[in-house]
Amino acid sequence: MEIEISAEYQAAEVVDLYDSVGWFQYTRDAGKLLRSLKNSHCVLTARNESGRLDGLTRALSDGETVCYVQDLLVRPSTQRSGIGRALVEELKRRYAGCRFFVLSTDAAGTEDAEKSHPFYRELGLIPHSEQRLEAFALPLKRQEHL
């Protein structure tokens, strides 16, 4: 597995990775997805020995005070192999000088949270509430799922 900063990826491989984890809202408009990657502060990719895209994370940041981890995806067939950990650890290294390192995810009690919350804690991330912080956001624009 090779982790690298990437500005080059094919639309088909990105859509395939996002689809593999069920993020169909992103793949309905491949052009928009690719523009979102291009406009991110940092995109890291993980590829297997044959070059297949198995993981991706992207950060939105000012590079000084805040790093927001927007996406963290690992192909289901390669999960629990260290790819997600390597991607997040590299972001943490790159943004070590930032005061805030933030990742939003599903709330406790959801199926995805049962897997992801322990993983995020292992990486040293803790919920806002445990830091006496709150997060506010506009309501999500929900679209019907495929």
Side-chain angles (χ1 to χ4, degrees):
M1 169 187 57
E2 183 177 341
I3 305 290
E4 64 182 6
I5 274 198
S6 186
E8 300 291 325
Y9 15 75
Q10 301 299 315
E13 69 178 349
V14 170
V15 167
D16 179 60
L17 178 61
Y18 276 73
D19 279 347
S20 79
V21 297
W23 289 16
F24 304 116
Q25 296 294 333
Y26 285 84
T27 61
R28 285 187 174 159
D29 184 341
K32 188 174 195 174
L33 173 57
L34 292 172
R35 287 188 303 277
S36 72
L37 294 174
K38 181 179 181 236
N39 291 327
S40 298
H41 194 255
C42 177
V43 176
L44 298 176
T45 58
R47 295 184 181 276
N48 70 9
E49 302 78 33
S50 65
R52 182 182 71 185
L53 183 63
D54 281 341
L56 180 146
T57 190
R58 68 183 179 112
L60 309 176
S61 180
D62 59 15
E64 298 292 333
T65 61
V66 63
C67 173
Y68 183 85
V69 181
Q70 173 56 33
D71 296 345
L72 174 61
L73 305 91
V74 176
R75 187 175 301 282
S77 63
T78 61
Q79 288 177 359
R80 301 192 186 281
S81 66
I83 294 172
R85 177 177 303 282
L87 288 167
V88 173
E89 291 296 345
E90 181 60 19
L91 281 183
K92 286 170 52 180
R93 187 188 71 72
R94 289 177 181 274
Y95 294 97
C98 288
R99 180 170 185 228
F100 292 103
F101 187 92
V102 180
L103 181 148
S104 293
T105 190
D106 295 313
T110 64
E111 185 179 333
D112 286 342
E114 298 303 316
K115 294 188 309 187
S116 63
H117 287 203
F119 171 68
Y120 297 140
R121 284 184 179 276
E122 286 176 15
L123 293 170
L125 303 176
I126 58 175
H128 281 339
S129 61
E130 292 180 20
Q131 300 179 72
R132 299 186 58 146
L133 295 170
E134 294 281 342
F136 292 87
L138 291 172
L140 288 176
K141 296 177 183 174
R142 301 254 182 221
Q143 296 177 357
E144 61 193 40
H145 294 282
L146 295 177

